[in-house]
Amino acid sequence: MPSRTTSTGAPDTARWLLRGHDGRLTAYARAEGGLLRWTETRPGGPEWSGPDFFEAPDLTYLTLAQGVDGYVHFVGRRERPGDDGKAVVDLVHSIQYQPGRPLMDWRTLGNPHTKLVERAPHLGAPAAAVDTAGTVHVFVRDAVGSVRMRREGKGGKWEGWKDFKVRDTLDGMAAVATSTGRVEVLAPAGKATLRWAQEKRGGELERADDVPVVAAPGSGTALETAPDRLTYYAADALGDGVLGHRPESGGPALPLGGAPGPGPTAALRTTIEGHDCTVLAHRTGTGRPALAAFPTEDEGAGLWWAETGEPCLGAPALALDARDRVVMAAIGLDGTLRLARQKAEPGLALAAWTRV
């Protein structure tokens, strides 16, 4: 097995630090020829093992999704040279069933452009969500800017591709499953963010009202901020900081400030001094991670962004450890994993960053 110890690029999404069913955190990053994985040696840390290297040749993009069973699903975009010299592009899927255990074999999900093969190389970046029944939903922008979905059916057999029949969407879709098992997907476009939602778990995804956020491609994320209700956070495409919007409530987008650079927004909910709070993070234009917190669904209360740590590659990630402490992770410019964990004191103060 090739030896790999550092990441070779920025994380593709902000969802790359996950807590397993045993409480241990695991971080993932793409590396040359595959991916790296760091795992806490015990719940709550502070020691980590890794990085372990897993072969996954020719990946150009990798996203992760986790079910309520703790299984981690990996969905990647793979691009290989064909016999005729043209690129052969497909999506691939793998699973990690337990923290610290090997990944299963990568299996292809194909490419929706099976007939118009000249369009196949223009497939975009995938997004994925796992409902409460463990059903994996994969979404991808196709060559003409439509959204395609493929999901795992009964017995592990994958259904065919479904075309949502839109145009001009951009990369950077956000897919999420709510606590009731409903799946929603939001896709940035030129004048708004398009949205599809299930009425109930296992149902068809139907077009819903657009979200009035013109998001920078790849910056959006969705967080469940009340039972079965999502809030969408993304960087404004015109450079006016982070915006928030609750699709079910309507109304205009909420300006949240910050100075995000390219890349996704990270979001989580936690309790701070007895209050339900939302924590957001992004990589700023200066390259450093930035963090902010505010009462959940009360963005009007105001928030203050604080830069922390050294410049990093791509988006920082957020997760709660086994003691429900906020952990912020980033990939340093040297390709190594860096972590800062919430201090045992009032507020959201982070301890010093450590290199794993």
Side-chain angles (χ1 to χ4, degrees):
M1 176 178 292
S3 174
R4 300 289 191 276
T5 58
T6 59
S7 174
T8 55
D12 297 315
T13 75
R15 193 187 302 171
W16 54 271
L17 181 69
L18 302 175
R19 188 169 77 179
H21 65 86
D22 64 357
R24 289 188 292 163
L25 294 176
T26 305
Y28 306 86
R30 274 199 300 126
E32 182 180 356
L35 63 95
L36 297 175
R37 183 188 70 191
W38 298 262
T39 308
E40 281 186 318
T41 57
R42 61 180 180 179
E47 291 83 15
W48 290 69
S49 65
D52 300 313
F53 176 76
F54 297 92
E55 289 191 19
D58 306 312
L59 291 185
T60 64
Y61 188 94
L62 179 69
T63 191
L64 290 80
Q66 188 175 31
V68 294
D69 52 14
Y71 298 170
V72 179
H73 295 263
F74 305 83
V75 178
R77 180 188 185 275
R78 182 171 63 178
E79 182 170 335
R80 297 167 292 167
D83 294 336
D84 57 0
K86 296 181 180 179
V88 177
V89 175
D90 64 348
L91 300 186
V92 291
H93 171 252
S94 183
I95 308 174
Q96 176 187 287
Y97 289 111
Q98 296 179 16
R101 301 297 297 169
L103 276 62
M104 302 300 289
D105 291 340
W106 291 89
R107 299 185 181 276
T108 182
L109 300 179
N111 186 313
H113 296 300
T114 54
K115 295 182 179 179
L116 298 174
V117 294
E118 68 275 8
R119 293 182 175 180
H122 302 289
L123 196 66
V130 184
D131 69 17
T132 51
T135 302
V136 185
H137 298 66
V138 174
F139 305 90
V140 68
R141 175 193 57 75
D142 70 12
V144 296
S146 187
V147 174
R148 302 290 189 111
M149 181 189 75
R150 194 172 189 194
R151 64 182 173 183
E152 191 179 23
K154 295 181 179 179
K157 184 178 180 180
W158 288 81
E159 299 174 359
W161 289 100
K162 179 179 179 180
D163 187 354
F164 286 2
K165 299 185 183 302
V166 293
R167 290 291 184 271
D168 301 325
T169 62
L170 306 171
D171 273 339
M173 284 185 282
V176 66
T178 71
S179 56
T180 65
R182 290 190 314 106
V183 170
E184 296 195 18
V185 62
L186 300 104
K191 297 181 179 179
T193 297
L194 311 186
R195 174 175 167 252
W196 292 262
Q198 291 175 324
E199 184 176 345
K200 61 181 180 180
R201 188 185 78 183
E204 295 301 316
L205 277 97
E206 304 292 344
R207 181 74 180 269
D209 291 339
D210 293 348
V211 173
V213 172
V214 182
S219 68
T221 191
L223 178 70
E224 187 172 17
T225 51
D228 207 34
R229 184 166 69 216
L230 301 177
T231 302
Y232 179 67
Y233 298 104
D236 178 51
L238 299 178
D240 288 335
V242 177
L243 300 175
H245 188 268
R246 267 177 291 286
E248 298 296 338
S249 64
L254 306 167
L256 303 178
T265 306
L268 63 73
R269 285 176 67 188
T270 187
T271 300
I272 301 176
E273 297 185 48
H275 300 284
D276 180 359
C277 291
T278 293
V279 182
L280 301 178
H282 60 247
R283 180 177 179 265
T284 68
T286 66
R288 297 178 64 200
L291 188 71
F294 53 91
T296 297
E297 295 200 344
D298 188 14
E299 290 85 355
L303 63 158
W304 176 67
W305 291 92
E307 292 192 14
T308 175
E310 299 177 356
C312 60
L313 294 173
L318 296 171
L320 297 177
D321 70 7
R323 301 178 190 174
D324 285 333
R325 296 173 297 184
V326 174
V327 179
M328 192 175 189
I331 300 296
L333 297 182
D334 60 357
T336 61
L337 177 64
R338 313 293 179 91
L339 297 164
R341 205 177 298 254
Q342 184 179 6
K343 293 181 180 179
E345 61 182 51
L348 185 59
L350 298 180
W353 285 81
T354 59
R355 174 176 167 175
V356 175

